[in-house]
Amino acid sequence: AGTVSGIIDTNTTWTLANSPYQVTGHVTVNPDVTLTIEPGVRVVFDHYMGLWVNGNLQATGTVDLPIVFTGSTEQNGWWRGIYVQSAGSATLVHVQVAYGGYWDGAGVWKTGAGALTLQDSTLSHVAGDGLRVAAGYSNFTSTNNSFHHNSNGVRVGVNVSFDDDTSTFSDNSAHVYLDGGTITEQVTWNLNPAYSFFVSSHLTVGEAGQLDILPGTVVKFAQYAGLWVDGRLDVSGTAIGPVYFTDWRDDTVGGDANMDGTATTPAVEWWRGFYVRNAGTAHLENATVRYAGYWDGMGILKSGSGSLTLNDTTIQHATGDGLRVADNSGTVILENVTLANNSSTGLRLTNAGPVTGQGCAFQNNGAYGILQEINDSFGYTGNTFNGNGLAGVGINGGTRTTNMTLSPEGNPFRVNEHVAVGAGATLTIQPGVRVEFAQYKGLWVDGTLSAVGSSTSLITFTGTTETAGWWEGVQVRNA
């Protein structure tokens, strides 16, 4: 057995023959120096002591002979941890790191430009994060590790990728804890669907940033937190590996991340939602967004000149609108999207620009499947509207200045304010359409109204309440 402390300034090997090594003072591996630890070596740290790596640490154990870093007393937070910093690098394979976390709250902490490889290892009983990778220092690889009985299994700073669907987590306060901030480079999130990322505070994908979220990943948000996209968001779920964005308390996906059993349950208005804005673009495929709507009352808000594409995606259980498109000039394409069980509206259009949808289902929303301003457009044909509280489509008042077609798939249409068909515009109402008018409201035609039903497929203009004199009627006037 040997005792070690101080600075290591020449290449050094800690051998199995001299194990265990008792760390009686802080140990620092200098730049351009390698500390090699043989399989089976046990490194025991006295109270408050730690290991700093400015050079290179090579700790490669085996299944039968793991390398152990532990405290002289098996108590969480007994010793500092392993710090891989500056240009320092480390390879940790078949190692066990336990009972660290004093002072900085990390068992292994990665900063600097050097590389960290962590593989087939266990990080446990840390008073803080089993592994922490500081903001911007994502030159690391994690594979087949076990993180258990830590405050957080892993904590990653902004601009850090965590791409590991092979590791396991148990009895941590969070599986992978994500710091807030602004992403300014390409970042990847990937995790086994049995576990979840925890977005701890507001996160922005900056203009130069890109966030790629891989199949099967579950992302849970702290209360009130949200995601802003000024750069690019690419969510590439699959039919067998969908991606979820949900309430921290949602145990139906990503495990019981907050470790409280059934004591808490998810609910609307927990987190903010997505904001795709300015020139930001987003593509979501096979994704579910639910339980958002705090503050602005929506699950996803699209504005600005960028594009939004949703394929095989569900937005549900939001306070307010599932998807709101407002002050938008970019393209919005919805294919096989379900907007369901949102407290007000599935899709809200306000100065929405070009929005198209096919194969979409607007179901069981509190008020409308779609609520739009008079000069917004959506092709209702090819989509379904069922169980919405007031109407399939709600139309607010004003003068329509371009052509518009109402098809029976959007039934019933509810006109909330006076509506006029402007000179030069044509309103086409297809057979089978039902249009309901709010009290005292009416339809004025200064352009063209074409409402041609059939004996078996009537067009109906009526009041929201079937009382004589309820609404004003249809006035054909001027030219």
Side-chain angles (χ1 to χ4, degrees), residues 153-175:
V154 178
R155 180 173 179 176
V156 293
V158 70
N159 282 326
V160 173
S161 292
F162 190 83
D163 185 358
D164 177 8
D165 61 0
T166 61
S167 292
T168 61
F169 301 81
S170 62
D171 297 301
N172 307 287
S173 297
H175 302 140

Side-chain angles (χ1 to χ4, degrees), residues 86 104 120 123 139 144 150 160 179 193 235 243 290 298-299 318 335 354 382 390 394 398 400-401:
S86 302
D104 296 298
D120 298 307
L123 284 73
N139 186 10
N144 291 319
N150 309 292
V160 173
D179 290 340
V235 179
V243 173
R290 60 195 188 199
M298 85 294 143
E335 294 183 359
L390 296 179
R400 180 76 186 195
T401 58

Side-chain angles (χ1 to χ4, degrees), residues 76-77 100-101 104-107 125-132 149-153 172:
N76 291 30
D104 296 298
H125 298 93
V126 173
D129 314 315
L131 167 66
R132 182 187 304 167
H149 292 92
N150 309 292
S151 296
N152 299 306
N172 307 287

Side-chain angles (χ1 to χ4, degrees), residues 80-94:
R80 287 282 289 261
I82 300 171
Y83 296 77
V84 184
Q85 61 186 22
S86 302
S89 62
T91 299
L92 305 175
V93 180
H94 288 295

Side-chain angles (χ1 to χ4, degrees), residues 290-315:
R290 60 195 188 199
Y291 301 117
Y294 170 73
W295 195 263
D296 293 298
M298 85 294 143
I300 298 178
L301 172 60
K302 171 66 179 76
S303 63
S305 61
S307 64
L308 172 65
T309 304
L310 303 179
N311 302 104
D312 300 293
T313 288
T314 297
I315 306 174

Side-chain angles (χ1 to χ4, degrees), residues 366-389:
Y368 302 99
I370 297 174
L371 177 60
Q372 65 179 78
E373 300 304 312
I374 185 60
N375 280 299
D376 288 310
S377 293
F378 187 85
Y380 315 107
T381 302
N383 303 289
T384 60
F385 297 78
N386 296 294
N388 300 291

